[in-house]
Amino acid sequence: MSGAESFIPTPLMLSDNARRRLQALKADEGNDRLSLRVYVTGGGCSGFQYGFDVADAINEDDTEIPFGDVSLVIDPLSYQYLVGSTIDYEEGLAGARFLVQNPNATSTCGCGASFMV
């Protein structure tokens, strides 16, 4: 390189609410290796649906995206559908949940759990 750093954009973003919830999960479990696994599966009322899981292991082909003391983990199939998204966490009358704000989705269902590209 010529001394100039090249900028590589973060493929996903993590809201402050989601970061705080992940920090709380790590503290509750007493496990510093916990990450939030975000994935996409077929199904849902709009074609694809989002899924979340707490993971303490990363597969060889996963992408880990660190955000300070917490990180997201995405499998290679889901990655293409999630690039540019923001992972958020909300608490409300419907309960507490992680959710995806995905600019690539051409339509979403009313609950925001499924989408179409």
Side-chain angles (χ1 to χ4, degrees), residues 37-114:
R37 180 175 293 281
V38 184
Y39 58 92
V40 173
T41 60
C45 47
S46 293
F48 295 100
Q49 64 185 33
Y50 302 112
F52 301 94
D53 194 12
V54 179
D56 65 356
I58 300 170
N59 299 325
E60 186 177 304
D61 58 350
D62 285 340
T63 298
E64 181 178 21
I65 305 169
F67 294 94
D69 60 344
V70 298
S71 62
L72 298 175
V73 176
I74 302 115
D75 65 85
L77 181 62
S78 299
Y79 185 91
Q80 63 188 325
Y81 296 109
L82 294 168
V83 169
S85 297
T86 298
I87 308 305
D88 197 5
Y89 179 79
E90 69 177 12
E91 294 180 10
L93 295 175
R97 66 183 179 144
F98 285 101
L99 59 116
V100 177
Q101 297 166 354
N102 189 340
N104 304 309
T106 58
S107 67
T108 60
C109 69
C111 67
S114 68

